Amino acid sequence: MEVENLSSAAGPEASVLGKRKSGDDDAGDDFKRARLEESSSVPAATAAVVPDINQDSKEPESVLTGEMGLGFISRDEGAKGEEDKGILEFRCITNDRDPQNMIWLVDLKNIFSKQLPKMPKEYIVRLVLDRKHRSMVIIKKGKVIGGICFRPYHPQHFAEIAFLAITSTEQVKGYGTRLMNHLKEHVKKEDITNFLTYADNYAIGYFKKQGFSKTIAMSRDRYVGFIKDYDGGTLMECYINPRIDYLDIPGMIKAQRDVIIEQIRKLSRAHVVYPGLRAFEKGPAQIAIKEIPGVVEAGWKPSDRKAREKDEGSLQSQLASVLKIMNSHGSSWPFKEPVDRNEVPDYYDVIKDPIDLKTMEARLQSGYYVTKALFEADVRRMFDNCRTYNKPDTIYYKYANQLEETINPKLSGIHSA
């Protein structure tokens, strides 16, 4: 369906919902076509809305029925504040010949007509003034600024939404969301348990945020033959949960949030803020871990540190044992000390990253080898350096191979901490 005057943000209150009857020649192929005859008593219009421009965003889902996100909650809260201050008023009216109601219905009809200029005005008039249809209107300072036109089917316990619109000057304020919530509370009193509407691709995002779903849970015999089936539209349903107070959703969410936070605080002290450390105000200083505010409260125990030190000691002892085996091997003498520049002047021109057993022992003592991988990398580089600088027929090349062959099983047997 074609939707005019699209709003840029809110979605719920952005534009009119509506569809033309199939009998209108100028309706266009992109409007839904009714399968039932126009002469039947079934209404010829269902809902379509403005595209929700933010519908691709990954909003966290709420605990409410449907797919309403936290943005839905904040919009409704803003409109609820205006209602509590008496700025907004909501009324459900119909064509009962009451002069004031008639004025409001005509104002609402004008809003629908303006927002959908291609929709035949006589068609909008017929549905809005039809006594089988009702309208939930939103009044601001005595003037209608929007509304929902719907038709209830009481024996079937559902209602079909025909139009929804908020006047262009009052959009993006959460009024559409609040309007839908008032309608839900109103129809609950009449034992209406579901809404049905047809939505085009632009409307689906809006309806999802109002609790509608493309999965129809109602049995077909409840609505088939009562509402018209439209080509090119998606039938959507909203279950009206009797346990939810739709007019106080922000309060309900806050109460649920408070309960969850209370339970979290029973299990965690993450909410407690401790004072900063003052030991470093005059410069570098040492402080025991247990003296850091919050560390002990977070569950730290001295035994944890001892266990880590034990693991680290286990690795260090294994590496020391391997170094001792290498130093005692008959082929290790070329590798025990760094290469003397005076004896081999060009060695450091060829080998840019030299390593030897003496250097490895110093690294072990300093705690450099915190993992097995660091130690093994130095061992492999020592042998590779030797084979890089020396030719294969030299004694040094052969000693590197012999020592490596001896030490390989020892390296494989090291267990990392």
Side-chain angles (χ1 to χ4, degrees), residues 253-306:
I253 296 299
K254 183 180 183 301
Q256 292 177 339
R257 181 177 181 272
D258 291 344
V259 170
I260 292 173
I261 289 177
E262 182 181 355
Q263 295 303 314
I264 291 174
R265 288 183 174 180
K266 292 179 180 179
L267 305 174
S268 168
R269 297 183 61 84
H271 61 285
V272 179
V273 178
Y274 294 92
L277 297 175
R278 305 183 66 87
F280 307 102
E281 290 180 343
K282 296 181 179 180
Q286 290 186 347
I287 183 172
I289 293 179
K290 65 181 180 180
E291 295 178 5
I292 300 175
V295 170
V296 175
E297 291 82 352
W300 178 87
K301 296 179 181 179
S303 59
D304 294 341
R305 184 180 180 186
K306 292 179 179 179

Side-chain angles (χ1 to χ4, degrees), residues 397-417:
Y397 196 102
K398 294 177 182 179
Y399 280 175
N401 289 341
Q402 290 176 8
L403 184 57
E404 185 176 36
E405 184 178 352
T406 300
I407 212 66
N408 276 340
K410 308 298 181 183
L411 292 173
S412 300
I414 296 175
H415 302 290
S416 298

Side-chain angles (χ1 to χ4, degrees), residues 177-373:
T177 296
R178 191 66 181 169
L179 185 64
M180 182 66 76
N181 287 340
H182 265 279
L183 180 60
K184 290 176 182 178
E185 282 299 314
H186 175 80
V187 298
K188 281 199 307 187
K189 301 173 185 177
E190 300 181 8
D191 201 23
I192 297 294
T193 61
N194 300 81
F195 285 141
L196 285 179
T197 190
Y198 272 92
D200 62 17
N201 291 334
Y202 295 112
I204 292 174
Y206 162 75
F207 278 120
K208 281 184 176 180
K209 291 184 178 181
Q210 301 302 324
F212 285 75
S213 171
K214 290 187 281 187
T215 302
I216 308 301
M218 292 174 57
S219 59
R220 286 179 54 83
D221 58 354
R222 284 181 59 187
Y223 63 88
V224 172
F226 292 93
I227 67 172
K228 291 185 177 181
D229 193 6
Y230 292 89
D231 295 333
T234 300
L235 183 62
M236 301 188 73
E237 174 191 358
C238 176
Y239 170 66
I240 304 168
N241 194 321
R243 296 179 297 171
I244 294 178
D245 181 359
Y246 290 97
L247 297 182
D248 191 29
I249 290 177
M252 182 186 70
I253 296 299
K254 183 180 183 301
Q256 292 177 339
R257 181 177 181 272
D258 291 344
V259 170
I260 292 173
I261 289 177
E262 182 181 355
Q263 295 303 314
I264 291 174
R265 288 183 174 180
K266 292 179 180 179
L267 305 174
S268 168
R269 297 183 61 84
H271 61 285
V272 179
V273 178
Y274 294 92
L277 297 175
R278 305 183 66 87
F280 307 102
E281 290 180 343
K282 296 181 179 180
Q286 290 186 347
I287 183 172
I289 293 179
K290 65 181 180 180
E291 295 178 5
I292 300 175
V295 170
V296 175
E297 291 82 352
W300 178 87
K301 296 179 181 179
S303 59
D304 294 341
R305 184 180 180 186
K306 292 179 179 179
R308 288 194 298 271
E309 289 175 347
K310 183 179 179 180
D311 290 339
E312 292 172 0
S314 177
L315 175 62
Q316 300 300 308
S317 63
Q318 291 180 79
L319 300 184
S321 176
V322 172
L323 274 175
K324 183 176 180 180
I325 294 173
M326 294 175 69
N327 272 302
S328 62
H329 195 275
S331 302
S332 65
W333 64 265
F335 308 101
K336 290 187 176 183
E337 299 281 344
V339 175
D340 191 336
R341 290 178 179 271
N342 295 326
E343 294 180 4
V344 191
D346 66 337
Y347 181 81
Y348 293 97
D349 294 333
V350 178
I351 304 302
K352 303 299 183 183
D353 192 8
I355 190 67
D356 57 86
L357 294 176
K358 184 176 180 180
T359 302
M360 292 174 65
E361 287 179 348
R363 289 185 172 185
L364 178 64
Q365 293 300 321
S366 68
Y368 172 79
Y369 297 122
V370 294
T371 65
K372 171 187 173 182

